[in-house]
């Protein structure tokens, strides 16, 4: 490993001039931090996604573009030298206006990626200038030069080996000379078209770059001081976790803990790179270290919540003692690139969930063409507005009576599609979205606040 540290800052950490100044102070305090990966300013990606959806009324498009300009220029106005960075941001805003007009005629995932990437392109111009004015030898780098991906717009897959070669050749020499400021979330395909890694992909970008540069550490700076036993905004008595294993944190990320992107830990795990999660607003409060091995492994570690879930239930009497039914179902889903998350089965039915992770947001949908093909095999029922609750822990299957404790606390709620057994680290189930927060509060009180 090299002595190079990678630091990633999320949208709230670069939301305004004060937030960016805090980021710079954190970077300045660690001489090993040579690569800084940042998101778009808070709220910007949502506005760009709105433009990409195809707004027909010109005045409505202009109102959003004006709001984008205000977010960025409110920071630029507090810089000493505004001319160059203002011109760079304005040029990107002109590109946004042109792409938004094109989207009003016809939307596409390729155009959406082009639009939403503009948030990171603007924020990196501003942070680079701010850091220079603080006396840091900062250099902006367009990550699309090295973050090579496939052409699956909206959720592109990085080409890891090519990324490593390009990063070693182009990025590492810069990091040895400067503090390099670059974009998370975005990349480019082999044709040079802009791609994105899906919502939350900035964390993943940072981890991939840390791996490619053989970094000694990866810091994820966000708006909360580390990983908690659950979201403190839902359960106020949630407590911080000082240290957590890679496997536990991976489960938390996959099942909805918004502090980490589900894929983030994979590159770090491959090379044993420790990951630190802390608050850029309150760095003095410390945070959470994620390591391969930790000293304690409690039965119950944390609760995670993931909403916007869609459950598909397929029923057919032909399933009873039949061969190949599930194979046919998954063949259809694979043909249409539908990713299945959770699955439960009975003798004559199978239920599965779809989880949307691309840039378009909202509930995942089962396309009509897929429904029609599945309907030739069985009846198809689709339910929206569900949330997935995941209890993360260790060796739960070895502890008699724990299930009674969990489900006894939730006896007044309607639980759907309970999944357990595939992992030693989680028990999960679906609930109606209206009940989700209450379920988290009740479980957290029972499992984490009674000790």
């Amino acid at each position: 490993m090299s002595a190079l540290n990678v630091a990633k800052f999320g949208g709230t950490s670069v939301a305004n001039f004060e937030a960016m100044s805090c980021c710079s102070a954190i970077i300045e305090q660690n001489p090993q931090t040579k690569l800084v990966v940042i998101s778009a300013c808070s709220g910007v990606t949502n506005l760009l996604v709105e433009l990409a959806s195809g707004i027909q009324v010109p005045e409505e498009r202009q109102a959003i573009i004006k709001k984008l300009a205000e977010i960025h220029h409110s920071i630029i106005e507090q810089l000493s030298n505004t001319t160059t960075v203002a011109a760079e941001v304005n040029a990107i805003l002109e590109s946004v206006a042109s792409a938004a007009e094109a989207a009003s005629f016809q939307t596409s995932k390729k155009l959406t990626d082009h639009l939403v990437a503009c948030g990171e392109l603007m924020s990196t111009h501003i942070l680079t200038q701010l850091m220079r004015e603080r006396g840091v030898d900062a250099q902006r780098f367009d990550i699309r030069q090295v973050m090579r991906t496939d052409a699956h717009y909206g959720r592109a897959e990085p080409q890891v080996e090519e990324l490593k070669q390009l990063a070693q050749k182009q990025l590492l020499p810069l990091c040895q000379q400067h503090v390099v400021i670059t974009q998370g979330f975005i990349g480019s395909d082999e044709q040079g078209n802009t791609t994105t890694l899906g919502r939350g992909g900035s964390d993943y970008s940072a981890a991939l770059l840390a791996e490619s540069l053989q970094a000694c550490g990866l810091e994820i700076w966000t708006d909360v001081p580390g990983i908690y036993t659950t979201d403190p905004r839902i359960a106020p008595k949630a407590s911080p976790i000082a240290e957590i294993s890679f496997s536990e944190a991976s489960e938390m990320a996959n099942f909805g803990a918004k502090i980490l992107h589900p894929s983030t830990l994979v590159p770090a795990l491959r090379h044993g790179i420790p990951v630190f999660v802390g608050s850029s607003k309150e760095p003095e409060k410390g945070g959470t270290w994620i390591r391969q091995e930790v000293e304690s492994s409690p039965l119950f570690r944390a609760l995670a919540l993931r909403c916007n879930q869609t459950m598909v239930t397929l029923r057919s009497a032909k399933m009873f003692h039949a061969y190949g039914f599930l194979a046919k179902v998954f063949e259809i889903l694979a043909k249409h690139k539908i990713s299945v998350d959770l699955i439960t089965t009975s003798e004559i039915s199978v239920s599965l969930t779809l989880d949307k992770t691309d840039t378009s947001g909202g509930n995942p949908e089962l396309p009509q063409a897929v429904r029609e093909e599945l309907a030739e095999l069985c009846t198809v029922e689709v339910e929206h507005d569900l949330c997935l609750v995941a209890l993360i822990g260790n060796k739960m299957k070895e502890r008699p009576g724990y299930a009674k404790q969990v489900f006894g606390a939730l006896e007044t709620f309607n639980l759907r599609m309970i999944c357990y057994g595939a992992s030693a680290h989680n028990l999960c189930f679906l609930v109606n979205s209206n009940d989700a927060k209450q379920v988290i509060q009740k479980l957290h009180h029972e499992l984490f606040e009674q000790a």
Side-chain angles (χ1 to χ4, degrees):
M1 286 186 179
S2 69
L4 182 152
N5 185 64
V6 178
K8 180 267 175 180
F9 294 89
T12 55
S13 298
V14 292
N16 50 43
F17 182 83
E18 292 74 20
M20 284 195 176
S21 297
C22 289
C23 290
S24 185
I26 290 169
I27 296 162
E28 292 161 31
Q29 288 171 8
N30 187 350
Q32 289 184 316
T33 300
K34 292 296 184 180
L35 180 63
V36 179
V37 180
I38 71 170
S39 299
C41 298
S42 183
V44 166
T45 300
N46 288 337
L47 293 172
L48 292 168
V49 169
E50 191 175 349
L51 288 173
S53 67
I55 297 176
Q56 305 294 322
V57 182
E59 291 78 12
E60 292 181 9
R61 294 199 302 273
Q62 287 303 316
I64 294 175
I65 293 168
K66 182 180 178 182
K67 194 179 296 185
L68 288 168
E70 289 171 351
I71 291 171
H72 295 93
H73 282 285
S74 67
I75 308 173
I76 293 171
E77 288 166 2
Q78 298 181 69
L79 298 171
S80 299
N81 186 351
T82 64
T83 306
T84 302
V85 67
E88 290 164 335
V89 168
N90 287 337
I92 296 171
L93 287 170
E94 288 178 10
S95 173
V96 167
S98 176
E101 183 178 1
S104 71
F105 292 102
Q106 184 172 3
T107 61
S108 71
K109 288 188 176 182
K110 182 178 180 180
L111 184 57
T112 295
D113 275 7
H114 170 76
L115 262 169
V116 298
C118 292
E120 279 74 11
L121 296 176
M122 289 187 282
S123 63
T124 45
H125 275 298
I126 298 171
L127 181 62
T128 302
Q129 179 61 27
L130 182 148
M131 292 188 66
R132 286 173 177 167
E133 293 184 6
R134 289 174 60 99
V136 178
D137 181 13
Q139 178 77 40
R140 181 181 182 272
F141 182 80
D142 190 332
I143 202 61
R144 293 175 294 184
Q145 296 179 46
V146 303
M147 185 61 73
R148 193 69 70 239
T149 73
D150 62 15
H152 187 187
Y153 302 109
R155 194 185 177 189
E157 188 64 33
Q159 308 300 294
V160 176
E161 289 305 317
E162 189 174 0
L163 164 60
K164 286 181 181 178
Q165 293 173 12
L166 292 170
Q168 287 286 328
K169 182 179 179 180
Q170 298 185 42
L171 195 52
L172 185 58
L174 280 178
C175 291
Q176 292 168 343
Q177 301 292 326
H178 313 276
V179 174
V180 178
I181 314 298
T182 195
Q183 307 81 25
F185 175 60
I186 70 175
S188 66
D189 62 19
E190 62 179 12
Q191 303 300 320
N193 299 308
T194 299
T195 58
T196 67
L197 308 188
R199 296 301 291 266
S202 291
D203 291 347
Y204 189 26
S205 297
L208 286 164
L209 292 169
E211 177 187 35
S212 297
L213 298 174
Q214 299 180 330
C216 63
L218 169 62
E219 298 171 358
I220 305 289
W221 294 97
T222 179
D223 57 356
V224 292
I227 299 174
Y228 278 63
T229 48
T230 196
D231 188 337
R233 292 167 294 188
I234 299 176
K237 292 186 178 180
S239 56
I241 302 170
E243 190 179 51
I244 189 171
S245 69
F246 274 121
S247 55
E248 292 171 314
S250 295
E251 294 283 0
M252 286 188 69
N254 189 56
F255 287 107
K258 294 181 180 178
I259 199 165
L260 288 174
H261 184 267
S263 301
T264 297
L265 298 174
V266 175
L269 180 61
R270 283 195 292 251
H271 281 73
I273 300 171
V275 179
F276 176 80
V277 181
S279 168
S280 60
K281 297 178 182 179
E282 301 173 299
E284 69 281 358
K285 287 191 174 182
T288 302
W289 279 102
I290 306 170
R291 295 188 171 97
Q292 185 75 43
E293 296 182 5
V294 294
E295 291 185 5
S296 65
S297 300
L299 177 65
F300 301 130
R301 176 69 86 180
L303 288 165
L305 179 66
R306 188 172 71 194
C307 289
N308 288 331
Q309 298 296 287
T310 296
M311 182 171 74
V312 178
T313 301
L314 310 174
R315 293 187 178 88
S316 174
K318 296 177 183 178
M319 283 181 64
F320 190 71
H321 289 170
Y323 296 97
F325 178 83
L326 283 179
K328 291 177 183 177
V329 167
F330 280 97
E331 182 181 345
I332 293 170
L333 295 173
K335 182 173 71 173
H336 292 275
K337 299 189 185 312
I338 303 296
S339 179
V340 172
D341 187 19
L342 302 177
I343 180 169
T344 61
T345 63
S346 72
E347 287 293 351
I348 62 168
S349 66
V350 54
S351 292
L352 50 89
T353 61
L354 313 174
D355 182 41
K356 195 166 201 169
T357 55
D358 64 16
T359 52
S360 56
N363 282 298
E365 296 291 343
L366 190 68
Q368 186 59 34
V370 183
R371 285 195 189 209
E372 291 174 358
E373 283 196 54
L374 290 172
E376 295 178 7
L377 293 176
C378 54
T379 61
V380 181
E381 179 184 344
V382 179
E383 296 179 61
H384 296 296
D385 298 321
L386 298 168
C387 291
L388 176 67
V389 176
L391 173 60
I392 312 301
N394 294 278
K395 300 181 179 179
M396 290 186 286
K397 64 183 179 182
E398 298 177 14
R399 184 71 63 89
Y402 92 91
K404 180 181 178 181
Q405 187 180 6
V406 173
F407 295 121
L410 302 176
E411 60 183 357
T412 60
F413 297 97
N414 182 27
L415 308 185
R416 310 289 306 281
M417 197 177 164
I418 299 167
C419 295
Y420 176 69
S423 167
H425 293 286
N426 79 71
L427 163 71
C428 53
F429 49 86
L430 293 176
V431 297
N432 293 325
S433 58
N434 292 335
D435 294 333
K437 289 185 178 180
Q438 283 183 279
V439 167
I440 291 291
Q441 290 164 355
K442 186 78 173 177
L443 266 184
H444 193 273
H445 176 79
E446 176 69 28
L447 305 180
F448 295 91
E449 299 172 24
Q450 299 298 303

